[in-house]
Amino acid sequence: MLSESVEMTRISNLLSPIKASDAGSKLWIIFLTSGAFLVWYIFRTEFWMWQFITLSLWYAGLMWAGLRWPAFRTLFLVIIGIAAIGVGLYQFGYTASDSVALYFFFQSSAMVYWMSAAIVFSAAGYYWYLFSGNEASGDWGHKFAWVAVTLGYAALAIRWQQTYIGHPSWGHIPVTNMYDVMVLFCATTALFYLYYESLGRTRGLGAFAMPMILVAAIFLVWVGFAYHQNKIQPIIPALQSFWLKIHIPMEFVAYANFYLAGMVGVSYLLKNRSENIGSSLSKRLPSLNELEHIMVSMVMFGFLFFTAGTILGAVWAAKAWGGFWSWDPKETWALIVWLNYAAYLHMRSNNTFSTRPDKGVKLAWWAALSLVTVTFCFVGVDLFLGGLHSYAKL
């Protein structure tokens, strides 16, 4: 058994202090600070209080990620480089109809399809690694996961530029329909998985994370083909707000961690079963204690951002509709999700429960079954209930 102090250290690893003494970290600080200053300088006459707060939050979040995780710095620069090519082609007047590069790769829709293909290969690689132990398969799964993350975020950046083409007043961050948010979900969930994998976890967990992301990718491709949501459309007045740039990213950080926690719960149950029957499958997964720590860390991190995102959403609602809370279906289900994970963390910290020998199994089942409430809040409300938040309704 790991000691309580070691357990808490691992759980709080995401929030522990950061040391920025190496050259790469210093360059990152200079680069990001210069970029934030440039954005402020160019748009300072259009900024007011909340725009400054938005810029500050993005600056702090990107700074934290880059200092915590060196690979994120490389990812950020590669995404900027790829997106710059696509945005540049559009700025020079090219379109997908007269540019082969845009048609096959640099337009956002094409890049999303390439992202989806990368997710397929990543899921297959991780899955084969889990059941065969082939290290090369795990490596390919890892590499294609990085490709998927890169293409997903670059596609969103280019799509943002596309929202301005022909209709300058339509320009908006591309998270306003089901197609857009599923791209964001796929890229963000894969990114967080790669971060947890970088902490020294075995690659066996990729066989649970990436197939789940593949389901989301299949759904977004279907939404694009069946409902043409990959087409740029104007947004309603309620969404024409800077709150969109804060509220939505926070919620999707939470969703990514909740879904990953659920899949780690599934891996915990499989690991427990494999150990009981003596299967070699369990050798390619972390220990049960480690899986429990990973799962709880994900829930804690997701709960933090879901709480912040929900509070900001209430403030946005007050600005848009005149009230902080109206028991709209989306708000009601957000509260259900929040109460569910609050109860999860409360139970996890309960001394009586924490000493039970079957606590890991119960927590794993809870995390896995919680995906029902999260999925209904994320997708189900928009598809079946509607309400004030039914922007992504098909």
Side-chain angles (χ1 to χ4, degrees):
M1 293 289 291
L2 292 172
S3 67
E4 186 68 19
S5 61
V6 172
E7 175 183 346
M8 293 309 298
T9 297
R10 289 182 175 180
I11 290 176
S12 62
N13 186 58
L14 289 173
L15 304 176
S16 59
I18 299 171
K19 295 181 179 179
S21 57
D22 62 284
S25 296
K26 292 177 180 177
L27 288 173
W28 175 250
I29 293 172
I30 295 171
F31 168 77
L32 201 61
T33 302
S34 301
F37 177 80
L38 183 62
V39 170
W40 167 82
Y41 184 79
I42 294 173
F43 299 103
R44 66 188 186 283
T45 57
E46 303 174 21
F47 274 24
W48 61 297
M49 182 184 70
W50 284 108
Q51 273 83 357
F52 285 113
I53 292 175
T54 302
L55 178 62
S56 299
L57 288 173
W58 275 104
Y59 173 78
L62 293 173
M63 183 64 73
W64 177 86
L67 294 179
R68 165 70 59 193
W69 188 20
F72 179 84
R73 304 196 289 257
T74 303
L75 172 70
F76 189 81
L77 295 175
V78 172
I79 290 172
I80 289 178
I82 294 175
I85 297 174
V87 170
L89 288 171
Y90 280 113
Q91 291 280 20
F92 282 112
Y94 292 101
T95 65
S97 61
D98 55 24
S99 170
V100 174
L102 278 175
Y103 184 83
F104 286 105
F105 189 78
F106 286 105
Q107 67 166 319
S108 62
S109 296
M111 200 166 286
V112 166
Y113 297 141
W114 286 114
M115 177 199 75
S116 301
I119 292 172
V120 171
F121 288 116
S122 177
Y126 278 124
Y127 191 78
W128 186 249
Y129 165 76
L130 179 66
F131 286 93
S132 71
N134 187 294
E135 294 288 344
S137 296
D139 292 341
W140 277 108
H142 175 81
K143 292 174 182 177
F144 275 112
W146 275 112
V147 171
V149 171
T150 304
L151 295 179
Y153 282 119
L156 288 172
I158 294 171
R159 189 169 175 83
W160 196 340
Q161 167 63 27
Q162 287 178 273
T163 64
Y164 287 93
I165 297 175
H167 305 277
S169 62
W170 290 7
H172 60 271
I173 183 173
V175 290
T176 57
N177 63 19
M178 187 63 72
Y179 178 89
D180 292 344
V181 298
M182 292 309 295
V183 176
L184 178 62
F185 173 78
C186 289
T188 302
T189 307
L191 178 64
F192 270 95
Y193 166 71
L194 288 168
Y195 174 71
Y196 286 110
E197 186 182 272
S198 75
L199 298 179
R201 322 305 185 190
T202 63
R203 289 182 176 173
L205 289 178
F208 298 88
M210 295 309 295
M212 175 198 66
I213 298 170
L214 176 58
V215 172
I218 292 171
F219 180 70
L220 83 86
V221 171
W222 173 73
V223 166
F225 275 114
Y227 293 92
H228 308 292
Q229 289 202 1
N230 56 332
K231 305 297 183 183
I232 304 294
Q233 298 292 334
I235 59 174
I236 64 174
L239 291 178
Q240 295 172 9
S241 169
F242 60 85
W243 292 103
L244 192 69
K245 302 176 181 69
I246 309 176
H247 171 68
I248 297 299
M250 284 192 170
E251 294 290 356
F252 276 85
V253 168
Y255 285 143
N257 280 273
F258 288 157
Y259 273 93
L260 289 173
M263 298 314 295
V264 172
V266 173
S267 72
Y268 184 102
L269 297 172
L270 180 61
K271 170 85 172 182
N272 188 55
R273 174 65 175 167
S274 298
E275 288 188 346
N276 290 337
I277 64 176
S279 171
S280 61
L281 192 67
S282 64
K283 297 178 182 179
R284 289 179 284 278
L285 290 171
S287 68
L288 291 176
N289 280 333
E290 189 73 4
L291 286 171
E292 182 184 334
H293 301 322
I294 297 169
M295 179 172 56
V296 174
S297 297
M298 291 172 172
V299 171
M300 288 177 65
F301 198 65
F303 185 74
L304 172 66
F305 274 83
F306 194 80
T307 301
T310 302
I311 293 172
L312 290 172
V315 176
W316 185 5
K319 296 287 186 180
W321 302 312
F324 289 98
W325 199 266
S326 60
W327 295 104
D328 178 74
K330 193 77 165 185
E331 295 172 349
T332 302
W333 275 93
L335 179 61
I336 292 171
V337 170
W338 189 89
L339 290 172
N340 173 72
Y341 285 107
Y344 180 99
L345 294 174
H346 174 73
M347 183 65 73
R348 176 64 175 75
S349 63
N350 183 276
N351 290 331
T352 302
F353 178 80
S354 64
T355 58
R356 295 180 57 170
D358 63 342
K359 66 181 177 66
V361 173
K362 292 185 179 299
L363 288 172
W365 273 111
W366 194 337
L369 293 176
S370 292
L371 296 186
V372 175
T373 60
V374 175
T375 301
F376 197 83
C377 179
F378 174 23
V379 179
V381 171
D382 294 308
L383 297 182
F384 304 113
L385 298 183
L388 294 173
H389 291 78
S390 59
Y391 314 121
K393 193 172 182 62
L394 300 181

